[in-house]
Amino acid sequence: MTEVNIPTGLRIGGRIVSGHGPRLDVVNPSTGGVLAVADSADAADVEEVVRVAQAAFDSGVWSRMPIHERSRVLHRFADGIAERMDDLYRLETANNGRPLTETKAQITRLPEWYRYNASLLLADRDSVVPMPGPYHSYTSRLPLGVVTILASFNHPMMIASKSLAPALATGNSVVLKPSEQTPLTAMLLADIAHEAGIPDGVLNVINGLGPVVGAALCEHPLVKKVVFTGGTEPGRSIAVAAAQRFAKTTLELGGKSPVLFFDDTPVDVAARGAAFGGFIGAGQTCIAGSRLIVQRGLHDEFVETLAKVAESIRIGDPADPATQLGPVISAQARDRILGRIADGVDAGARVVTGGGPATVPGLENGFFVQPTVLADVTNNMTVAREEIFGPVVVVIPFDDEDEAVAIANDSPFALGSAVWTRDIARGHRVASRLEAGMVWVNDHHRLDPSSPWGGLKESGIGREGGWESFHDFTHVRAVTVRTAPDDVDWYGGIATGRLN
């Protein structure tokens, strides 16, 4: 990592500047040591960056750039990301502790998001409205203005790019605030954008504490949309702040995804699928398949087999390609996860495997947690209802399809869900009954730039991906042209027309 020159200042209007907030340690979670010391912003820096972004928007240098040229710049940006991929995935692994193989598999797809949205920009068409009378009515779209994206620590580049790509494609100016725990790849991303020809002030990156910088961005009157990925309670506060001025929001919040396993699924297939859904990224994802709802005829053998799979997972240095499970993000996160496991045991849950910290030789100060399987769980226990955000899954038995769906839907969250069955009709049928923004059948975690991603209930509002996200970074405008040869003279004679 030493050969990658990473700016740790703020990027405002094309310049790298020092922040006026406290300098923040960026910690390597696999060692507990300081990876870098980054600048952070204060309220005055937020005011400056928003004003700079607004000035860039008002200038039209990007917002009114011909769409074919804007699309070409975004393709160059995608090319630049691909060229720097090795630096990006190694830096991200060091910063958030996700195993190198996982990180590489995820962020090698980043250029797709920019290419897809650059293509949507050229494919988008206005609509003609069939208004009666001598009128030609049509719609057009215009960018919002300044957009802020508040990304999270678990997938810093992917989460930022899912919204950054459509926000830029549609002509907005962006202020990106990464998590203060994982700001480094965002700073490198801004360098790549600058080199690709995205004009100064169009993409700005500022680091800082959420209650200071994030709150100031959410409350700023010039910010026309806020995108946030994180916990439900901060998301609720952001929604209130944005609503005060009728700004748009996309909020991807907490989850407790139910994964339904029917007894026609081979037990080894079910166990491997459960491990992938629950332990990938050390379980630090809102979409983690952490609530395993298993048909009773499969249940006991499933629990036993899943425990063996969990115990076989290689925990270690995330920079080692052989590692399958890295650390959680911080000592605080590790202690919180272990506390949630203890609370579950106190409520009657049984630890089948795991349940404690993991020790990695040479990385004794890292924040590692054993992959944990809890059985004898009922859906009213806290461990089954609240997000743990760690490598912990709970197993709940069911008898029939109706009971499985009832348990799955009995949750305040509704981000994702999954169904495992060899009966394809049942797969479709159950998917149609699940209250969730996304359902996978015989898989988990899959996403694509063309597919809308987001939740219901307390899992948030809005969508990332697809036309749904692309258009939500714009306002729709109706244009009506009178085509009659005579003039409008409502008061000059007998009024026989209609007003609406």
Side-chain angles (χ1 to χ4, degrees):
M1 292 314 308
T2 55
E3 73 277 7
V4 183
N5 181 23
I6 303 301
T8 55
L10 316 179
R11 181 176 280 279
I12 299 177
R15 298 181 300 116
I16 299 174
V17 300
S18 298
H20 293 90
R23 298 267 287 170
L24 301 175
D25 289 345
V26 180
V27 175
N28 182 334
S30 65
T31 66
V34 175
L35 181 64
V37 180
D39 279 64
S40 75
D42 65 4
D45 294 319
V46 170
E47 183 64 29
E48 180 185 0
V49 74
V50 174
R51 296 287 177 183
V52 166
Q54 184 67 52
F57 180 79
D58 291 341
S59 75
V61 65
W62 183 253
S63 59
R64 294 193 295 276
M65 178 183 286
I67 62 171
H68 288 80
E69 177 59 25
R70 198 191 305 154
S71 178
R72 282 193 289 270
V73 174
L74 286 173
H75 279 290
R76 288 201 298 270
F77 187 21
D79 291 341
I81 293 171
E83 290 166 4
R84 298 295 300 275
M85 190 59 67
D86 187 73
D87 292 340
L88 288 167
Y89 73 71
R90 292 183 186 280
L91 184 62
E92 186 135 308
T93 288
N95 200 170
N96 79 343
R98 192 170 186 185
L100 190 67
T101 50
E102 282 187 23
T103 301
K104 188 175 182 179
Q106 183 185 73
I107 71 171
T108 50
R109 297 195 63 198
L110 287 182
E112 295 177 38
W113 260 258
Y114 297 94
R115 298 192 197 287
Y116 173 77
N117 282 278
S119 299
L120 287 190
L121 178 61
L122 301 183
D124 202 11
R125 292 183 177 182
D126 299 327
S127 61
V128 175
V129 180
M131 180 179 287
Y135 299 100
H136 175 62
S137 184
Y138 60 93
T139 63
S140 63
R141 290 187 176 271
L142 63 157
L144 303 176
V146 177
V147 170
T148 189
I149 299 172
L150 309 178
S152 62
F153 72 82
N154 50 344
H155 314 299
M157 289 279 287
M158 177 61 76
I159 285 173
S161 293
K162 285 196 295 183
S163 292
L164 179 58
L168 291 175
T170 48
N172 298 282
S173 292
V174 178
V175 179
L176 170 61
K177 193 203 92 65
S179 166
E180 59 270 25
Q181 295 174 301
T182 55
L184 300 183
T185 47
M187 296 173 179
L188 183 53
L189 187 68
D191 281 357
I192 298 170
H194 180 77
E195 293 165 2
I198 292 179
D200 293 346
V202 172
L203 173 56
N204 309 274
V205 178
I206 60 169
N207 186 35
L209 300 172
V212 178
V213 177
L217 286 169
C218 294
E219 294 168 359
H220 200 288
L222 291 179
V223 171
K224 298 302 191 296
K225 180 171 180 175
V226 179
V227 180
F228 172 72
T229 299
T232 295
E233 289 312 311
R236 203 185 311 277
S237 298
I238 290 168
V240 171
Q244 297 295 319
R245 61 182 190 283
F246 306 107
K248 288 188 174 189
T249 57
T250 294
L251 306 173
E252 202 259 59
L253 307 178
K256 194 71 176 178
S257 296
V259 186
L260 283 58
F261 294 93
F262 288 89
D263 61 10
D264 60 346
T265 307
V267 67
D268 59 328
V269 172
R272 289 196 303 269
F276 171 67
F279 300 137
I280 201 86
Q284 296 177 115
T285 172
C286 298
I287 204 67
S290 55
R291 197 160 47 109
L292 312 181
I293 303 169
V294 183
Q295 196 156 22
R296 206 171 294 275
L298 179 67
H299 177 274
D300 292 352
E301 189 179 4
F302 172 87
V303 170
E304 180 182 348
T305 306
L306 177 59
K308 291 177 181 177
V309 174
E311 291 162 2
S312 73
I313 294 173
R314 295 187 294 274
I315 306 171
D317 183 352
D320 182 349
T323 293
Q324 296 176 316
L325 187 77
V328 298
I329 191 64
S330 66
Q332 181 183 19
R334 177 198 60 201
D335 295 345
R336 174 184 49 76
I337 293 163
L338 297 177
R340 291 292 184 89
I341 294 170
D343 290 343
V345 172
D346 290 344
R350 171 172 57 94
V351 176
V352 181
T353 190
T359 301
V360 176
L363 298 173
E364 288 80 7
N365 294 322
F367 313 129
F368 296 91
V369 177
Q370 296 170 335
T372 299
V373 178
L374 299 179
D376 301 340
V377 174
T378 59
N379 202 48
N380 60 353
M381 291 182 182
T382 301
V383 289
R385 302 196 70 78
E386 295 186 3
E387 192 171 37
I388 296 176
F389 224 66
V392 182
V393 297
V394 303
V395 185
I396 303 168
F398 73 89
D399 287 312
D400 58 27
E401 186 176 304
D402 287 343
E403 184 184 14
V405 171
I407 294 171
N409 289 340
D410 180 17
S411 172
F413 300 111
L415 183 58
S417 58
V419 182
W420 290 78
T421 180
R422 285 297 189 257
D423 183 339
I424 192 62
R426 177 161 56 195
H428 284 290
R429 185 171 65 245
V430 173
S432 72
R433 299 177 64 190
L434 292 175
E435 296 172 356
M438 295 163 288
V439 183
W440 292 277
V441 178
N442 297 328
D443 211 332
H444 206 94
H445 282 290
R446 306 302 180 178
L447 77 164
D448 189 83
S450 62
S451 181
W453 177 285
L456 315 174
K457 299 182 184 177
E458 295 199 0
S459 290
I461 189 171
R463 294 295 181 268
E464 298 168 302
W467 284 108
E468 292 82 357
S469 174
F470 183 86
H471 281 151
D472 203 46
F473 284 95
T474 67
H475 291 302
V476 64
R477 169 175 51 200
V479 180
T480 302
V481 180
R482 179 179 170 86
T483 58
D486 56 313
D487 295 329
V488 173
D489 188 14
W490 182 268
Y491 296 107
I494 298 174
T496 57
R498 68 183 192 179
L499 294 178
N500 52 47

